[in-house]
Amino acid sequence: SAAVEDQLDAIAPTTRIGGTDRYETSRNLVASAFTSASVVYLATGATFPDALTAGAAAGAQHVPVILVPGGAKAVDSQTLALISQLGATTVRIAGGTGAVSAGIESSLKAKGFTTQRLQGADRYATAVAINRQAFSSADVAFLSSGTTFPDALSGSAAAGALGQPLYTTPSTCLSSAIDKGLTAMDPSRITLLGGTGALTSSVATLSRC
């Protein structure tokens, strides 16, 4: 609210980056932070897991994630204009066609962009696919709940700043995809985000589902 903005402005100069909806806000945020990028990630704005995993991967590479209405038949003109403005040549799509439609991908290809879809059988396997493409190894792997977003939202930014991957996981165990993904990544340390209400002790001991 404006009242919160006023309170923050009393602490430090405060700028609002917003839009008429989450998609315009996403575009405005990207435009404010990036003047150029050879690669951009696209993720659905309707659900959170793919975008948060992509956020860490993109952050590690210093490139943006743009949220799109994933069910659209084609990429919208505003997103297309932003990708072109950034000078990107490659678009990495986070998630399968149930998240970001085949029409969006084909419309990007028709405009001459190289596209790469990073997907798995579910949100956890998609996280593995995103991280496999972005990282060959990791010193630290971050784990967060794949059923709620707040811890992963903070953790995605932290992981990206540190150049490390974030995996979403079931709250009570590791899916087989995550287990295999972590084994391949071979981190020397794993950081769990949130208390035992978010990730139980079974996750802490890396127990497989």
Side-chain angles (χ1 to χ4, degrees), residues 33-51:
F34 296 88
T35 56
S36 64
S38 60
V39 175
V40 300
Y41 284 76
L42 290 191
T44 180
T47 57
F48 66 88
D50 298 342

Side-chain angles (χ1 to χ4, degrees), residues 55 76 78 113 125 132 139 146 152 199 209:
D76 60 273
Q78 298 96 326
F113 296 103
R132 184 189 301 120
D139 297 323
L199 297 175
C209 297

